[in-house]
Amino acid sequence: MKDAQFAELSVIGMKGCEAFAQQVDNYLKEWRRHTSEDTYLVEALCPRFGTGEGKGLIHHSMRGQDVYIICDVFNYGVTYRMYGQTVPMSPDDHYADLKRIIAAIAGKARRITVIMPMLYEGRQHKRSTRESLDCAIMLQELVAMGVTNLITFDAHDPRVSNAIPLSGFDNVRPSYQMIKALIKNVPDIVIDKENLMMISPDEGAMSRCMYYSSVLGIDIGMFYKRRNYSVIINGKNPIEAHEYLGQDLTGKDVIVVDDMISSGESMLDVCSQLKERGAKRIFAFSTFGLFTDGFEKFDKAYNDGIISKVFTTNLVYSRPGLKEKPWHVEVNMCKYVSYIIDTLNHDATISELLDPVKRINKIVAKHRSEMETK
């Protein structure tokens, strides 16, 4: 029998997350046998004045509630009016609105959990010169405002949790959902050492690839980035070349794993080199598909036979037109987030949700069995 609820459940979808939060609410109602008229959603508003200033409003009592706030700080598809101009919301704007809603709760909730799929300023996680530590400051600010736990997905560097050592910080990886989507969309994929290989596009993605490699029982290769540290372009040192370390790729399918696709240049350069080394089909797993420079380069790579499929989640805003691309597969994470909320609301452990080895082994064994019978 499931433990009793920690407190009455409330779910808030911040601006731009309404559709995601609605799916989460539907799952929760289905599991808890509520009618369609009931809802766990609480409307939170952040109206703005003509100057761009804003405030947080909640027309609902939050006293004693177990509150889960879903916030996508990278949703630039949401806009507001400022001095007569339409302005897309930046990560700073979304983060400010999140703090406004926490402030509107005014300490009345019994517990507040923030679900921020992609961490605000997550790439500004360490200091190498005289510079700000934005992600660490954000975590400390939220804890100071009363947030008990923060849940994120595939953090660029999960060690940023050291900024709040006495508070909850859960870094979730969508490994099971990615593998499930791969098997569903590429039914002829053979998951063994002779036919499939994991590739890390850089040193930072090695831990992700090592996990997949270990669970699936396949080999791993990697690239390391050779950068020009004498030049800074768009806030970073440009990559001069990707150098490959690993076994022969001839005739093998390849999965390239990274936390995000930003412009995509680095990912496509790696994929091109893999193709030159004899890779058969190339699949990309990326939790966050930002595509900041559009899809043109990916369209060309797909038409040239360099990439076969790119798997990204719906945890962040999708650039318009992405879902219609023949090379793209959306991995829906709403049910998984619903499981996390439901489990935490009953004060139960989410260890199995954070490390889904058993579920991965089960689905891979089933796929192998089906391949053998064909």
Side-chain angles (χ1 to χ4, degrees):
M1 183 177 176
K2 208 165 200 178
D3 296 334
Q5 287 180 244
F6 174 78
E8 287 295 318
L9 174 61
S10 291
V11 178
I12 295 175
M14 295 296 294
K15 195 173 291 185
C17 295
E18 294 90 348
F20 191 100
Q22 185 62 64
Q23 288 191 56
V24 169
D25 185 54
N26 290 339
Y27 280 116
L28 292 170
K29 290 190 297 184
E30 179 185 341
W31 298 336
R32 299 185 180 194
R33 302 185 186 281
H34 282 210
T35 65
S36 58
E37 290 77 21
D38 295 328
T39 183
Y40 292 105
L41 296 178
V42 172
E43 186 179 23
L45 304 174
C46 290
R48 289 181 181 266
F49 303 99
T51 56
E53 299 167 285
K55 63 179 178 181
L57 289 172
I58 299 177
H59 299 297
H60 188 281
S61 174
M62 304 304 292
R63 189 177 297 279
Q65 299 288 300
D66 188 15
V67 183
Y68 294 81
I69 307 175
I70 304 171
C71 180
D72 174 15
V73 297
F74 292 87
N75 190 335
Y76 65 94
V78 180
T79 62
Y80 62 91
R81 299 287 292 175
M82 182 171 71
Y83 290 100
Q85 301 178 66
T86 300
V87 182
M89 287 187 68
S90 69
D92 292 342
D93 291 325
H94 282 290
Y95 177 51
D97 278 358
L98 171 63
K99 291 191 290 184
R100 289 181 176 113
I101 293 304
I102 295 172
I105 293 173
K108 299 298 190 297
R110 191 171 173 192
R111 181 170 66 185
I112 299 176
T113 299
V114 171
I115 300 175
M116 186 184 290
M118 187 171 172
L119 277 180
Y120 171 76
E121 297 290 358
R123 285 189 280 184
Q124 187 55 26
H125 57 93
K126 65 177 187 269
R127 175 180 284 152
S128 55
T129 182
R130 289 184 295 276
E131 57 186 345
S132 58
L133 282 169
D134 297 45
C135 191
I137 291 171
M138 177 269 293
L139 294 174
Q140 292 180 350
E141 280 186 337
L142 293 183
V143 168
M145 293 185 74
V147 173
T148 304
N149 193 37
L150 189 138
I151 297 170
T152 191
F153 286 77
D154 219 347
H156 193 68
D157 187 346
R159 290 174 296 182
V160 73
S161 63
N162 292 336
I164 49 169
L166 300 181
S167 299
F169 182 99
D170 291 305
N171 179 42
V172 188
R173 287 182 177 168
S175 310
Y176 170 73
Q177 287 77 13
M178 287 289 188
I179 294 170
K180 185 178 179 181
L182 175 68
I183 291 172
K184 179 180 178 181
N185 289 275
V186 190
D188 64 338
I189 190 80
V190 180
I191 304 176
D192 60 28
K193 284 188 176 182
E194 289 70 40
N195 296 280
L196 186 64
M197 194 166 174
M198 300 300 303
I199 297 293
S200 174
D202 55 34
E203 307 93 308
M206 270 301 289
S207 63
R208 299 178 186 89
C209 287
M210 288 170 64
Y211 181 86
Y212 281 107
S213 173
S214 174
V215 173
L216 298 177
I218 59 179
D219 292 326
I220 188 172
M222 73 164 288
F223 284 82
Y224 70 89
K225 295 176 180 177
R226 183 153 49 83
R227 293 182 180 271
N228 184 350
Y229 287 98
S230 65
V231 180
I232 296 178
I233 300 175
N234 293 330
K236 58 186 178 182
N237 303 109
I239 299 168
E240 290 190 332
H242 287 93
E243 306 291 347
Y244 175 68
L245 300 172
Q247 298 179 4
D248 182 34
L249 297 166
T250 304
K252 290 186 177 181
D253 288 331
V254 169
I255 302 174
V256 184
V257 182
D258 209 352
D259 59 335
M260 74 176 74
I261 294 174
S262 186
S263 67
E265 286 185 10
S266 178
M267 173 70 77
L268 291 178
D269 183 44
V270 165
C271 292
S272 296
Q273 290 201 43
L274 292 172
K275 206 68 178 178
E276 291 171 4
R277 286 175 165 80
K280 183 181 173 185
R281 294 178 296 183
I282 299 174
F283 308 104
F285 285 1
S286 182
T287 306
F288 309 112
L290 306 179
F291 301 100
T292 56
D293 290 349
F295 309 126
E296 186 177 344
K297 287 175 285 191
F298 283 85
D299 290 336
K300 186 177 186 305
Y302 175 73
N303 293 330
D304 292 345
I306 294 173
I307 58 171
S308 294
K309 293 287 183 185
V310 178
F311 296 79
T312 66
T313 71
N314 66 334
L315 289 167
V316 293
Y317 175 68
S318 292
R319 195 181 185 99
L322 177 61
K323 296 178 182 180
E324 288 74 43
K325 295 296 179 182
W327 44 263
H328 179 257
V329 177
E330 183 180 81
V331 180
N332 194 315
M333 298 296 293
C334 294
K335 190 173 186 179
Y336 193 28
V337 171
S338 304
Y339 276 131
I340 292 172
I341 291 175
D342 186 54
T343 304
L344 290 177
N345 182 232
H346 287 91
D347 250 8
T349 178
I350 60 172
S351 296
E352 288 192 12
L353 292 173
L354 298 178
D355 188 11
V357 173
K358 292 180 181 177
R359 286 182 291 151
I360 292 174
N361 288 337
K362 184 177 179 181
I363 194 172
V364 170
K366 180 183 178 183
H367 174 68
R368 286 171 176 162
S369 176
E370 290 174 351
M371 291 287 289
E372 290 173 359
T373 59
K374 288 182 180 179

